Amino acid sequence: MSDSQPQQPSPPPRGGRGDGGGYGPARGPAGGPAAGGSEATTLLLAGARLTDGRTVDVRLGGGRIQEVAAPGSLPARLPARLPARLPARATSAAPAARVDLTGYLLLPAPAEPHAHGDTALTADAGGPVSYGADEVQRRATESALLQLGHGATAVRSHVRIGDAHGLGPMEAVLQARRSLRGLADLTTVAVPRLLTGIAGAAGRAMLRDAVKMGASVIGGCPDLDPDPAGYLRTVLELAAEQGCPVDLHTDGDDPARLTRLAAMARDLRPGVTVGPCGGLSRLPLDVAGRAADALAAAGVGVTCLPQGDCAALERRDLRTAPVRLLRSAGVRVAAGSGALRDAGNPVGRGDPLEAAYLLASQGGLRPAEAYESVSAAAREAMGLPEVRVEAGFPAELLAVRGDRIAGVLSLAYSRIVIHRGRVVARTSAVREYCDSAVAVALDLPRQGRTEPGP
């Protein structure tokens, strides 16, 4: 099975509200091992470079990092008796599959905290967008695989419910989630249009139904409701009732509304995230600073979209949230891709490393801080376990050709993506130059010819 083809395993069990689900080995059809591997199979990543400059070998097994050691020091086969810190189920003596990561930087995998799988890939529709179940499932699956190819092993997709389509798009994206099991973790945010007054009664009922169906997060767009404060109150009350986190769309240009949200969200657990908050950048610095302080005090995170707003806000505003101001106030700032070739951004790439690149090149963040916004901060925003390239942590990893984060964000061509301890996507790029004196003098890669050409 190629990496671009989704599997068709049994649906995951319902359990907790964390976006990513458990981190045990992925299971395949009929409860058997996931395609392409088994619980006992180990993977040896050889010669990987870490951000601290070390070159190491990394052994993975059981969906986790088992050991990080000097190159060549890990045996090709697991010993019969493992150190006590390793799980008992990883005691197989089978040979480990080996991936040579010489020339690659090994990083915690990024996550995508703000996607729109139901509307992705519709920019060239040439007419009304179809919301038939098959079409929405295809778009959600294809877009998640594109994002996986870029390195995002977990994707949070905001899905509109209500209006003429009811819960159909949500059902289709949940089906895409099941088909992607073992390749990527896809979770959903239910996004109703209206929630207040008589007109919002249907939306409130539908939001409860969406959670029962399997939506992990409650979302919405308070800016578009006639009563934004009432909308916020309704969402937070339903989230507390259902035990769900909250992830809201807002431009953030109304500081009083953000402060009110912070006051109402202070005691909600799980947490609250808002975004993209580009409007904060249009406010006077002191006003934006006070709003940031209120968000930080309440533990409300912000997911910015450096590549531009998404279509959910029904506007085009290319400003990015003031990430340095928010970070200095103590707000957890994650970065998402937002629109992926839809009405919000017809050329969106869905690439977390592009979001990090823009934060480093235009947002004033250091390269390591920018990458953290699409990896550690994004995972925290999504309620996922922390990942480090250390023993015991989940084997959610991205290897990118390069030796430093700055170079990786600049020229992130070749990538190897690892989800739950196995390679699930691989992108290889080769750059060659024609035969010339300059290429020879600089020892650049050259296009070789076996026969004379024109």
Side-chain angles (χ1 to χ4, degrees):
M1 175 180 290
S2 72
D3 287 331
S4 63
Q5 292 177 316
Q7 302 176 62
Q8 299 294 331
S10 55
R14 290 295 303 271
R17 295 290 183 184
D19 269 15
Y23 274 80
R27 305 295 293 179
S38 68
E39 291 191 34
T41 300
T42 61
L43 182 66
L44 181 65
L45 308 179
R49 186 179 180 90
L50 303 184
T51 55
D52 61 9
R54 288 182 296 152
T55 298
V56 298
D57 287 353
V58 180
R59 184 166 58 210
L60 313 178
R64 291 189 173 270
I65 298 171
Q66 291 184 342
E67 195 166 356
V68 179
S73 64
L74 296 180
R77 291 175 178 268
L78 287 174
R81 176 170 293 181
L82 294 169
R85 70 176 180 272
L86 294 182
R89 67 185 177 190
T91 56
S92 167
R98 186 178 186 276
V99 177
D100 185 0
L101 291 185
T102 303
Y104 282 79
L105 186 68
L106 186 62
L107 301 163
E112 176 51 69
H114 195 114
H116 287 270
D118 56 335
T119 60
L121 310 174
T122 57
D124 299 325
V129 175
S130 170
Y131 283 91
D134 290 345
E135 280 298 303
V136 173
Q137 183 182 346
R138 180 193 62 79
R139 293 197 297 261
T141 303
E142 184 178 351
S143 61
L145 287 173
L146 287 171
Q147 290 163 317
L148 175 66
H150 292 312
T153 61
V155 178
R156 175 184 278 189
S157 182
H158 294 251
V159 183
R160 292 189 184 187
I161 62 174
D163 299 328
H165 309 299
L167 290 170
M170 175 61 69
E171 186 175 1
V173 177
L174 289 171
Q175 180 59 37
R177 173 190 180 182
R178 289 186 282 270
S179 72
L180 289 163
R181 181 71 171 173
L183 286 173
D185 291 323
L186 173 64
T187 55
T188 55
V189 185
V191 182
R193 175 60 182 260
L194 297 176
L195 285 181
T196 64
I198 296 175
R204 295 191 294 272
M206 197 167 292
L207 192 51
R208 287 188 174 91
D209 289 341
V211 173
K212 291 177 183 177
M213 288 173 61
S216 304
V217 187
I218 292 179
C221 306
D223 297 4
L224 303 181
D225 193 278
D227 179 7
Y231 193 105
L232 290 173
R233 188 178 306 107
T234 300
V235 165
L236 294 173
E237 288 174 353
L238 284 171
E241 170 191 306
Q242 300 291 330
C244 292
V246 170
D247 195 338
L248 294 168
H249 288 76
T250 181
D251 186 53
D253 58 352
D254 186 334
R257 188 178 301 161
L258 284 179
T259 302
R260 189 181 303 115
L261 167 64
M264 289 190 290
R266 185 180 297 273
D267 297 323
L268 183 68
R269 295 292 182 272
V272 178
T273 300
V274 297
C277 292
L280 275 174
S281 296
R282 299 191 296 272
L283 298 175
L285 187 60
D286 60 332
V287 176
R290 287 194 293 272
D293 289 340
L295 294 174
V300 176
V302 170
T303 297
C304 67
L305 300 179
Q307 297 163 86
D309 283 349
C310 60
L313 290 176
E314 299 184 359
R315 60 180 296 169
R316 292 299 302 275
D317 187 344
L318 299 182
R319 285 180 179 261
T320 300
V323 292
R324 292 183 65 186
L325 180 147
L326 290 164
R327 285 170 59 94
S328 66
V331 178
R332 180 200 67 236
V333 181
S337 300
L340 200 171
R341 302 209 301 268
D342 64 16
N345 184 354
V347 294
R349 295 181 183 177
D351 185 353
L353 267 61
E354 183 182 40
Y357 158 80
L358 290 170
L359 288 179
S361 65
Q362 301 176 18
L365 297 189
R366 297 184 180 91
E369 294 172 335
Y371 187 76
E372 181 188 21
S373 72
V374 301
S375 55
R379 291 183 64 84
E380 183 181 355
M382 297 166 66
L384 297 171
E386 181 182 11
V387 173
R388 298 182 196 168
V389 188
E390 298 176 15
F393 285 87
E396 304 290 313
L397 302 168
L398 172 64
V400 187
R401 185 168 291 282
D403 57 3
R404 295 183 302 116
I405 288 183
V408 159
L409 297 186
S410 175
L411 298 171
Y413 295 134
S414 296
R415 310 183 192 187
I416 298 173
V417 186
I418 295 167
H419 173 54
R420 302 192 180 191
R422 71 186 187 100
V423 174
V424 292
R426 189 189 297 261
T427 301
S428 299
V430 177
R431 171 175 286 174
E432 297 178 317
Y433 296 90
C434 65
D435 193 1
S436 70
V438 172
V440 171
L442 296 178
D443 195 25
L444 297 176
R446 293 187 299 154
Q447 175 74 40
R449 289 185 181 275
T450 57
E451 298 177 357

